[in-house]
Amino acid sequence: MARLTVNGRGVEVDVDPSTPLIYVLRNDLALNGPKLGCGRAQCGACTVHLDGQAIRSCQLPLGEAEGRQVTTLEGLGTPERPHPLQEAFLAEQAAQCGYCTNGMIMQGAALIQDQPGITEAEVLEGMRGNLCRCGTQPRVVRAVMSAARKGA
Ligand code: FES
Ligand code: FES
């Protein structure tokens, strides 16, 4: 039995501790924000926060998340009180198919935390590991910069 905190709630799951976290989030906890893309730490679609840091949940064994704080897209904001970056994604219409969007938002939110003065070059560098096959990168960068300026 593994115990962890997900989106502020203590949960227990009876899953092999070597199971990648993304399977536990999606299959056992019905949190479908994180997407399984490459499964090899190369696309960023599965990004979640672990103790406030952006990590690839396809590569983190469940056992390493025990006793730690996991935040998924569902815990970043609520429909009533979205995170500023979630609002900026809507304002900029920064999604097409949406498959990469979870990772873009989770990576971007960790990147701009307490960094209102972040530059576009720093955003580009910080987001370079998040791939989008639809070509939304310019809109994603605009959304991240906009949210950063608002002090996200
Ligand atoms: S699914 Fe995890 S990085 Fe691609
Ligand atoms: S919006 Fe389709 S992969 Fe990015």
Side-chain angles (χ1 to χ4, degrees), residues 94-101 104 131-136:
Q96 286 189 35
C97 80
Y99 208 81
C100 70
T101 306
M104 294 292 190
L131 307 184
C132 174
R133 62 187 173 185
C134 298
T136 63

Side-chain angles (χ1 to χ4, degrees), residues 8-120:
R9 187 170 62 95
V11 296
E12 290 186 351
V13 285
D14 190 10
V15 178
D16 186 310
S18 67
T19 306
L21 179 63
I22 188 165
Y23 292 112
V24 179
L25 295 174
R26 291 181 59 88
N27 299 342
D28 298 279
L29 301 176
L31 293 167
N32 294 319
K35 299 290 185 285
L36 183 63
C38 64
R40 294 169 176 259
Q42 291 178 356
C43 75
C46 64
T47 303
V48 301
H49 293 176
L50 185 68
D51 293 339
Q53 303 292 313
I55 60 109
R56 308 260 154 126
S57 64
C58 69
Q59 294 298 299
L60 189 82
L62 171 64
E64 290 187 28
E66 272 211 77
R68 302 176 71 179
Q69 303 274 344
V70 176
T71 305
T72 70
L73 187 67
E74 291 88 344
L76 196 64
T78 65
E80 298 74 29
R81 294 193 60 190
H83 185 280
L85 187 51
Q86 291 172 318
E87 284 186 325
F89 261 66
L90 284 174
E92 294 292 343
Q93 292 288 287
Q96 286 189 35
C97 80
Y99 208 81
C100 70
T101 306
N102 165 75
M104 294 292 190
I105 291 178
M106 297 308 285
Q107 182 74 24
L111 184 65
I112 64 179
Q113 203 168 12
D114 303 321
Q115 288 219 71
I118 194 168
T119 65
E120 188 169 317

Side-chain angles (χ1 to χ4, degrees), residues 92 112 115-118 142 144-152:
E92 294 292 343
I112 64 179
Q115 288 219 71
I118 194 168
R142 282 206 297 272
V144 173
M145 291 299 295
S146 164
R149 284 194 296 268
K150 288 178 183 158

